[in-house]
């Protein structure tokens, strides 16, 4: 009698365990769950890529500092003054071709993509 009760209980426990395991797996394979898993993996990959980019940037800055020190470049040196641009109005005038008039601020645009 005890043997039958033991095997009946063991079979019922195995059935509950198997049913639970199959239901969990089915829930993992639903479209919503798969989409959530893919989104989580993409976010994780993005974080890894960001960390890699930051490490590369730090390494570049460190190497640049080493090269500056080795070459004797001063990082605090002043930048040269901005270049002056010859006024466009004087470019075709023969009177001003030898001595063009320079202006500090010109309306000339350096944007190559701008429509003229």
């Amino acid at each position: 009698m005890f043997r039958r009760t033991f095997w009946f209980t063991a079979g019922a426990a195995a059935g509950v365990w198997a049913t639970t395991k199959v239901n969990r797996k089915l829930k993992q394979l639903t479209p919503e769950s798969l989409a959530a898993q893919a989104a989580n993996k993409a976010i994780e990959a993005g974080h890894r890529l960001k960390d890699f980019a930051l490490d590369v940037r730090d390494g570049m800055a460190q190497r640049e500092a080493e090269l500056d020190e080795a070459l004797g470049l001063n990082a605090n040196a002043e930048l040269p003054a901005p270049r002056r641009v010859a006024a466009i109005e004087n470019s075709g005038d023969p009177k001003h071709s030898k001595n063009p008039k320079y202006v500090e601020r010109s309306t000339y645009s350096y944007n190559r993509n701008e429509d003229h």
Side-chain angles (χ1 to χ4, degrees):
M1 176 81 175
F2 288 112
R3 184 182 286 180
R4 288 184 184 171
T5 305
F6 170 76
W7 286 114
F8 177 77
T9 306
V16 169
W17 175 80
T19 304
T20 305
K21 190 129 176 134
V22 168
N23 283 336
R24 280 189 198 157
K25 195 53 99 170
L26 287 175
K27 285 181 184 177
Q28 286 180 351
L29 296 176
T30 61
E32 295 84 13
S33 178
L34 291 175
Q37 289 175 11
N40 289 340
K41 297 253 185 205
I43 290 171
E44 184 180 329
H47 288 305
R48 282 193 211 147
L49 186 61
K50 179 183 172 189
D51 291 342
F52 174 74
L54 291 174
D55 289 344
V56 168
R57 182 180 289 173
D58 290 343
M60 286 172 36
Q62 180 182 0
R63 182 63 178 151
E64 185 176 358
E66 290 171 1
L67 289 173
D68 286 347
E69 184 179 330
L71 295 174
L73 298 177
N74 186 3
N76 296 329
E78 288 186 32
L79 295 175
R83 292 177 26 185
R84 295 185 297 177
V85 179
I88 299 170
E89 299 82 29
N90 295 338
S91 62
D93 192 358
K95 181 172 76 171
H96 297 290
S97 63
K98 292 180 185 176
N99 298 321
K101 177 182 173 188
Y102 289 95
V103 292
E104 292 299 322
R105 296 181 185 197
S106 174
T107 59
Y108 180 74
S109 173
Y110 290 102
N111 186 356
R112 292 182 161 186
N113 296 325
E114 184 178 84
D115 291 336
H116 295 292

